[in-house]
Structures are given as structure tokens and as C-alpha cells.
Amino acid sequence: MNEKKVLITGGNGLLGYHLTRVYGDGTWKILSTDIHDHILSPGVSYFPLNISDKHAVFSLCNEFKPSLILNAAAFTNVDDCEKAVDTAFAVNTFGPRNLAEWCALNTCKLIHFSTDYLFNGEAGPYDETASPDPINIYGLSKLGGESQIRRILKNHLIIRTNVLFGKGPTEKASFVRWVVESLRNNHLIHVVDDQYNNPTWSNDMALAVKQLDQLEVTGVINYGGPDYLNRYEFACLVSDIFHLDRTLIHPITTNRLALAAPRPLRGGLDISRLQSLPDIPLTPLKTILKHIKETGY
């Protein structure tokens, strides 16, 4: 029997880190990659890879010969994408194209991760049949990646997600950590009350990816948390669970932030199709936050 091999790109990111953990259960041989020279998951086989470099992609894949690629690599800084347009498209559009081209030539499945930023944010949450209409470079470049994959490769799964949070391989601030640490230090914080999403826990999503793979789901599917709320409501929920002072949280509208990239406001994802499938983890947000509080964050 042939050994099952999975190549994980973006292995140092939050999702890549948890995918490496979930697939590292002994049933798969893993090679984790990232643009950096070192891996943040100890004990995992690792090789640096820039997915926008087609030669590097083909060289590494020809040597490792994966039967599955999980593409968690992306240029995700939404405001920086407005300033570094070429890099955004190189990574988010042409990187997935390179992976899809290798998969098409080598009977390999590709699972790719996309975003609710494909949409204009006027009528969310969006289901899988909604027509994309991105309003910033990040969303446009991610739509390009989806289009390249669908054009090239039949055996693919595109998983759209939004507002990913959780405990990752670094101490880099996340939304939950920022809220908790700010309130613990009695700092006043301003949080937008007009951006709606369904926050997605990285632990659950990584488990869901493996289940969707085992169910042989293909095409496009949404994965998001079961709770749909705005960022201000999210911050207030964090303060309540951690027993902190929610009066320190002040609502603000997105336009007052003068961000480089426009944001979809009523975004988020309709997860009805996902909820119809068996054994997909979808933990309520309150339960997740209580878990984070109890286990340390």
C-alpha cells in the first residue's frame, strides 16, 4: 500500500500549524512548508517554500510526491495588499495556480483556503452560490486563486472561511488576546460595530478539514463558526467570559479607522451545507472562549 503523504503550505501560520497537528496523528507522512527558513512546529519535517515560485513548487513536490496538498499559504494582511499588489497576486493567485498545475499532472488532491472577502459585504452571510464582488486587492487576489484552481484541477476542495482565531505557534497578538490583555490592563479599546462575521476557531477548522477530506467533499464549501455577530459584540462576549470590564470597550464605525483597504461590512458565511454533513465540529463561541480561559491564552 502506498504511503499517504500530505504537503502543508503556510505551516507557520495559525491554520497551517493546526493542520500539521491534526494530520500528524500517524496516518500521514507530513512535509510542512512556509516562506520562512525555520518551522515553528517542533518535530515536524519542514522545508522552506515560496508557492509563487513555480520551479520551487515543482521541484519540492516532485521529490516529496504528495497525494494531498493543503494550501494554507497566503498574503493575508489586507491593508498591505493595497500597497504590494504584485506580491498579493503572486502569492494569492499564482501560488495556487502553481500548486494546481502540479496536482493536475500528478493525481494529487488540492485543498485550498479562501475567504468571505470575495464579497462586497452588502448582503452577508453568503452561501456557496453567491456571486463574488471583491472590494479590495486581497479579495480580488483570493478570487483569482479560486479561479485558477477551478480552471486547472478537477480534484479540488476550496474551503472559504473568515475571522480565524485561536492559539498559534507564536505569541503574535490575536483579537481575543488583544481584548483580554487590553482590558486586564484597564486600557480603553475601540472596536468596530459594523463588521459582521462568524468567527472561526482554528482548532475546529483543522479537524473539519480532515473530516471533509475523508468525506471526499469537492468543489466549494463554507466553514465558519455557528455564531454570527459584529466585532464589538465579539469583544463584549470575550469580556463577559473572562470577567473583565466591558465598559472599557467603545464601539466605532469602520470608516472612522481610515484603513487603506475597504472592508466588507455585512460579511460572513452561510454554513448550511456544512451543517448537513456528519461529524463536522462547530463549537459555540461561548464554549470556545471558556475553554481558552480555562486552558490559558
Side-chain angles (χ1 to χ4, degrees):
M1 183 176 178
N2 292 332
E3 185 178 31
K4 295 199 299 183
K5 296 181 179 181
V6 57
L7 179 76
I8 300 174
T9 69
N12 282 343
L14 180 58
L15 179 57
Y17 171 77
H18 285 282
L19 289 171
T20 299
R21 178 180 57 80
V22 167
Y23 275 83
D25 61 357
T27 60
W28 289 83
K29 182 176 181 180
I30 296 175
L31 179 60
S32 183
T33 72
D34 200 278
I35 199 168
H36 303 292
D37 290 332
H38 61 284
I39 184 67
L40 298 178
S41 299
V44 175
S45 296
Y46 176 79
F47 197 88
L49 177 68
N50 181 347
I51 64 168
S52 65
D53 183 339
K54 181 176 180 177
H55 175 76
V57 167
F58 272 61
S59 178
L60 183 61
C61 289
N62 284 336
E63 182 176 347
F64 183 63
K65 294 181 172 58
S67 57
L68 172 65
I69 294 177
L70 305 176
N71 182 34
F75 185 8
T76 59
N77 188 308
V78 179
D79 291 319
D80 283 355
C81 283
E82 299 291 314
K83 309 165 194 172
V85 176
D86 289 347
T87 302
F89 280 95
V91 177
N92 295 339
T93 297
F94 302 118
R97 180 194 66 185
N98 295 335
L99 296 170
E101 287 181 346
W102 189 88
C103 289
L105 294 170
N106 291 276
T107 320
C108 179
K109 181 178 181 180
L110 175 62
I111 297 180
H112 172 73
F113 301 98
S114 194
T115 173
D116 69 328
Y117 272 45
L118 300 179
F119 306 105
N120 59 27
E122 295 178 2
Y126 295 90
D127 68 17
E128 290 86 353
T129 65
S131 298
D133 181 25
I135 59 174
N136 54 43
I137 295 298
Y138 172 67
L140 194 61
S141 65
K142 291 294 287 184
L143 178 59
E146 286 196 12
S147 300
Q148 292 290 335
I149 291 168
R150 285 195 295 269
R151 178 180 65 84
I152 295 166
L153 182 65
K154 181 178 180 180
N155 189 15
H156 70 262
L157 174 61
I158 295 169
I159 304 176
R160 294 172 179 162
T161 191
N162 67 142
V163 193
L164 194 68
F165 74 97
K167 187 173 178 63
T170 72
E171 294 303 308
K172 184 179 179 181
S174 71
F175 181 77
V176 175
R177 178 186 290 276
W178 172 69
V179 172
V180 170
E181 293 187 351
S182 296
L183 299 186
R184 279 179 176 167
N185 289 298
N186 292 314
H187 292 161
L188 176 70
I189 59 174
H190 292 88
V191 183
V192 293
D193 63 358
D194 56 354
Q195 290 186 35
Y196 287 80
N197 304 87
N198 37 332
T200 305
W201 193 30
S202 54
N203 299 49
D204 270 0
M205 183 167 178
L207 291 168
V209 170
K210 193 170 187 183
Q211 177 65 0
L212 290 168
D213 181 26
Q214 291 172 345
L215 292 172
E216 299 183 348
V217 177
T218 57
V220 177
I221 194 165
N222 293 338
Y223 184 90
D227 299 274
Y228 187 74
L229 70 173
N230 65 48
R231 299 293 180 89
Y232 173 73
E233 292 169 333
F234 188 8
C236 288
L237 184 59
V238 171
S239 72
D240 292 346
I241 296 297
F242 281 79
H243 304 296
L244 299 168
D245 184 3
R246 72 148 66 188
T247 66
L248 292 169
I249 309 171
H250 286 202
I252 189 174
T253 57
T254 299
N255 61 9
R256 289 185 60 192
L257 298 178
L259 300 169
R263 290 333 195 244
L265 298 182
R266 189 161 285 275
L269 298 165
D270 182 323
I271 58 171
S272 299
R273 183 188 177 202
L274 187 83
Q275 290 171 318
S276 71
L277 299 173
D279 303 321
I280 303 294
L282 287 166
T283 308
L285 190 53
K286 285 185 179 179
T287 304
I288 296 167
L289 294 174
K290 288 177 181 177
H291 171 79
I292 291 173
K293 181 177 182 291
E294 292 166 1
T295 58
Y297 193 34

